[in-house]
Amino acid sequence: MNTPVTIIGAGLGGLTLARVLHVHGIPSAVYEAEASPTARLQGGMLDIHDYNGQLALESAGLMDEFRGIVLEGRQALRVLNIDGTVLFEREDDGTGGRPEAQRGDLRRMLLDSLPEGTVRWGHKVVGARTLDDGRHEVTFENGTTVVAELLVGADGAWSRIRPLLTDARPEYSGTSIVETYLFDSDTRHADVAKTVGGGSMFGNGIEPGLSINAHRESGDTLHAYVELAKPLAWFDAIDFTDAEAAKARIAAEFDGWSPELTALITESDIAPIHRPAYALPSGLRWERVPGVTLLGDAAHLALANGEGANLAMLDGAELGKALAARPGDVEAALAEYELAMFIRCETPLEEDFLLESIFGDEIPQQLLNIFERRD
């Protein structure tokens, strides 16, 4: 295929697409709003699953490089009750199918695998339109434009490319995540570090929409994700620039919880960060529009369930392979890719498979009861 592919967004999905295209000798250009690869932190830990994310990396020819950035021991898992009682614990014996890596390391690995100049930094999209000849023009905040014969929106939840295909927009789910970080935890927050353990920790309340979860990231950094089912107005009333007041207000919702769990909020070394959870309508589809498609959150933004980054990478890999397999018929390749993506996103993983993938085959009944309460 000689048609160059224009990709909007240098996240994991867009970069996986660019890499798979490169493997097959297809040129691409990736336009990214960020000014440089180091313009901002790239989020926390990701578990890359053997049934989607790792398949994408195999298609990209990067499994050896991926193994080099996996953080050993981080597949350890601990589930706690609100009083700190351990409901479930599993050590990382190296046999699990969800190895953990830092999102920033994954992105750097993908960037390093691309020809120099593939990513055009500092190109924030402000609009896109279809031209009379069927091609698509993308306008950037810096005043430049690009006309694409084949355009892929990999630009996340608030995609500027999505309106070319559908009027659907993300809606607030009613639940938000508040992120905190505890640095040098083994020495400065020893009790909390001991409670979290060596990998992932989930602290679950009786009711859905109330939890304190955490990852042990590289070194001894603890990254917490505090779930609260509250309207946006509730969060708007909190001054997140006043770190101590914000921590106290969030922690107040966890009255009666173990102090080692609430310390993931109150002892945070940064001001809490509010992350509202938005989602696109379930089962979203659109009519085929020539020369343009979407992948990842731009196509199927869902509530956090551990699958988002994995699905974005798989989207990128599958789209790249479809284009390589049909070099003379781009539209057939896009139609094939979209149909498979729609079906994939409309077919949830079997609960038994997902629970076994996470916890193994011996899940305590008390833990199963918690998941049943969340159904």
Side-chain angles (χ1 to χ4, degrees):
M1 191 181 92
N2 295 321
T3 302
V5 181
T6 301
I7 303 168
I8 306 300
L12 299 181
L15 293 176
T16 300
L17 170 58
R19 167 62 185 181
V20 172
L21 292 173
H22 175 62
V23 167
H24 290 281
I26 301 172
S28 68
V30 183
Y31 293 86
E32 169 56 44
E34 293 172 11
S36 74
T38 58
R40 67 175 180 90
L41 293 176
Q42 293 299 311
M45 297 275 288
L46 294 173
D47 50 337
I48 304 302
H49 310 158
D50 53 10
Y51 51 85
N52 44 29
Q54 291 183 47
L55 299 180
L57 291 174
E58 288 174 0
S59 297
L62 293 173
M63 279 302 294
D64 286 344
E65 290 83 351
F66 171 66
R67 293 186 187 99
I69 64 171
V70 167
L71 292 174
E72 299 298 331
R74 297 309 196 277
Q75 287 188 84
L77 178 65
R78 180 176 288 179
V79 180
L80 306 182
N81 211 335
I82 66 171
D83 62 0
T85 303
V86 177
L87 301 176
F88 175 88
E89 186 162 23
R90 186 190 67 202
E91 296 299 323
D92 182 0
D93 63 3
T95 64
R98 293 168 165 256
E100 300 264 2
Q102 295 280 158
R103 181 186 289 268
D105 291 341
L106 277 166
R107 192 193 200 202
R108 190 176 309 110
M109 177 191 76
L110 287 163
L111 286 169
D112 289 346
S113 74
L114 297 173
E116 186 175 354
T118 298
V119 179
R120 320 292 168 84
W121 302 98
H123 282 75
K124 181 179 180 180
V125 177
V126 294
R129 65 189 183 107
T130 302
L131 302 177
D132 291 340
D133 62 5
R135 295 184 298 169
H136 303 282
E137 180 185 72
V138 181
T139 303
F140 302 102
E141 190 176 61
N142 62 15
T144 63
T145 62
V146 63
V147 174
E149 294 186 28
L150 175 49
L151 177 63
V152 180
D155 49 341
W158 304 103
S159 172
R160 294 299 188 122
I161 306 304
R162 187 191 300 124
L164 295 174
L165 294 159
T166 173
D167 293 331
R169 289 179 56 82
E171 295 183 358
Y172 181 57
S173 66
T175 298
S176 285
I177 301 298
V178 176
E179 293 185 48
T180 65
Y181 283 87
L182 280 65
F183 305 122
D184 303 320
S185 63
D186 290 334
T187 54
R188 298 179 57 245
H189 308 281
D191 290 342
V192 188
K194 184 177 179 181
T195 298
V196 171
S200 298
M201 184 280 296
F202 299 93
N204 296 274
I206 295 175
E207 298 298 327
L210 193 68
S211 66
I212 302 176
N213 310 312
H215 275 140
R216 179 181 286 267
E217 298 190 346
S218 57
D220 55 356
T221 292
L222 301 180
H223 185 182
Y225 303 84
V226 181
E227 179 188 16
L228 288 162
K230 298 285 187 182
L232 288 174
W234 188 87
F235 292 98
D236 290 341
I238 299 173
D239 181 3
F240 281 92
T241 65
D242 185 338
E244 296 308 312
K247 288 188 282 186
R249 183 66 190 90
I250 299 298
E253 297 299 308
F254 295 88
D255 183 45
W257 286 52
S258 162
E260 287 77 23
L261 287 172
T262 57
L264 284 161
I265 306 168
T266 58
E267 294 185 16
S268 176
D269 292 313
I270 67 164
I273 303 169
H274 177 215
R275 306 284 192 196
Y278 286 84
L280 285 165
S282 178
L284 175 65
R285 293 192 178 204
W286 53 80
E287 296 296 324
R288 175 94 283 284
V289 175
V292 60
T293 192
L294 306 171
L295 63 78
D297 284 350
H300 46 74
L301 176 68
L303 299 184
N305 60 2
E307 301 293 334
N310 285 275
L311 286 175
M313 293 166 65
L314 185 60
D315 285 350
E318 292 299 298
L319 175 54
K321 291 192 297 182
L323 290 169
R326 294 179 176 271
D329 195 342
V330 169
E331 282 308 304
L334 295 181
E336 176 185 284
Y337 156 75
E338 287 186 347
L339 178 59
M341 178 190 63
F342 293 149
I343 293 173
R344 184 164 59 242
C345 293
E346 292 170 0
T347 309
L349 294 172
E350 293 287 340
E351 185 177 84
D352 289 346
F353 170 79
L354 185 59
L355 289 174
E356 183 176 349
S357 172
I358 298 172
F359 299 107
D361 56 5
E362 296 183 4
I363 308 173
Q365 185 60 45
Q366 189 174 359
L367 184 57
L368 286 173
N369 292 343
I370 288 174
F371 281 91
E372 289 170 2
R373 288 197 296 269
R374 283 159 168 72
D375 290 342

